[in-house]
Amino acid sequence: MREIREEKHTPISKRADVVVAGGGIAGISAALAAARSGASVLLIEKQCILGGLATSGLVCVYLPLCDGEGHQVSYGIAEELFRLSIRHGAQGRYPAPWLNHGTMEERKNARFEVQFNPVYLALLAEELLQNHGVELLYDTIICGTHVTDSHLDAVIIENKSGRSAIEAAVFVDATGDADLFWHAGAQTVEYTRRNTLAAWYYSFGRNGLKLNTLGFADILADSDRSVKEPLSDRRFSGLDAAETSEMLCESHRAILTDILSARAQDVYCEPTAISTMPQLRMTRRFSGEYTISDVENGVYFPDSIGMIGDWRRRGKVYEIPFAALYTKSIKNLIGAGRCISVNENMWDITRVIPACAVTGQAAGTAAALTDDIPDMDIHLLQQTLEKQKQKLHFIDI
């Protein structure tokens, strides 16, 4: 490969107690938790709104906070953001038994999930973070790190102001792709099954506003969810720029074909919004001190930082161990959201909104409490999370 040689002297432009990389649900939760714990927080986001796949990606279904058998399992910021997302009304799947004091039997028949308006969530989340003093840095890409003796000193960013470095006591990787861990040289793992094509978009016609959910076809055959036909046989890693660009073009062609087909039936049908980011689900994660497996349903972890259900199947509940959020190789870096340490089957369970919020809250709280994540006083962290209305163990529900 041909190359050019560069010699750069990168200015340090900012410093904060906690820097959160990625403004999706995990990043929002981490930044909010860290700020509420008294830290100065800077959140870096490559898009121009918060929410990640939930907003820019139009994957605007807040999957269940429950186990499918009438018990809520995810609390704290996961529930707070759920309610925030529908503050001005739900678009679909309104969980009346959960929000209107329904009976246990009614809750068993309706998952604690909702379809929300992505614009409202993005704007309300921004307002929430700014009200707590979080500094936002939009339209900014993280392109490198500076590491000294297992300590992440700074992240290297590029935006309209040029190239600069940002220092922090602790960093939270909520990028979804484990970008900080990867740039810092920590061990990472790629998703081997790769991603199917998706082309979700909004349209408006005679019957009003509609979210068209084209693609995503990896739901298990014995799932409670319906199985869809894939848009394409091709799969995408999400880690190659040229390939991802091709994926986006295929997605756009699928949307155009679908909307023109819809217009043949409804001349008033018009597209109103398409995803402004790749609709990728699982790409790369870091290898943590513990890797959670999908067979650990119902397993007690003494270092649990919260619980999640399985959005695909009823009756499964997982405690999330703190050891899945960090590696000893980088002491002041912690992960949250889609890139935590899980096996491939568990990845599909932990990539969704409730799990991102639960792990984000724990990561942000821990980052505000210590700059040596592996040496975290787990009892202090758990006590703090419980004060934040998070429930940690099966016995608590």
Side-chain angles (χ1 to χ4, degrees), residues 259-281:
I259 193 65
L260 293 178
S261 176
R263 281 179 63 83
Q265 306 299 320
D266 178 3
V267 69
Y268 297 104
C269 186
E270 295 283 357
T272 57
I274 65 172
S275 172
T276 55
M277 66 181 289
Q279 292 175 322
L280 295 158
R281 294 165 294 162

Side-chain angles (χ1 to χ4, degrees), residues 133-201:
V134 175
E135 183 180 357
L136 302 174
L137 196 58
Y138 283 127
D139 197 22
T140 298
I141 294 175
I142 292 172
C143 54
T145 58
H146 189 274
V147 179
T148 306
D149 297 328
S150 301
H151 185 275
L152 179 54
D153 304 313
V155 294
I156 312 301
I157 64 166
E158 289 187 348
N159 55 26
K160 279 295 183 182
S161 298
R163 181 182 176 94
S164 67
I166 296 179
E167 295 180 325
V170 188
F171 296 84
V172 178
D173 189 334
T175 62
D177 304 318
D179 285 343
L180 289 194
F181 285 94
W182 183 71
H183 280 298
Q187 183 178 354
T188 58
V189 179
E190 294 183 12
Y191 184 62
T192 62
R193 301 174 194 172
R194 302 163 69 90
N195 294 266
T196 57
L197 186 66
W200 292 27
Y201 74 98

Side-chain angles (χ1 to χ4, degrees), residues 117-132:
N117 182 297
V119 177
Y120 276 138
L121 179 56
L123 297 178
L124 292 172
E126 178 179 282
E127 179 182 63
L128 178 64
L129 292 186
Q130 289 192 312
N131 285 345
H132 282 82

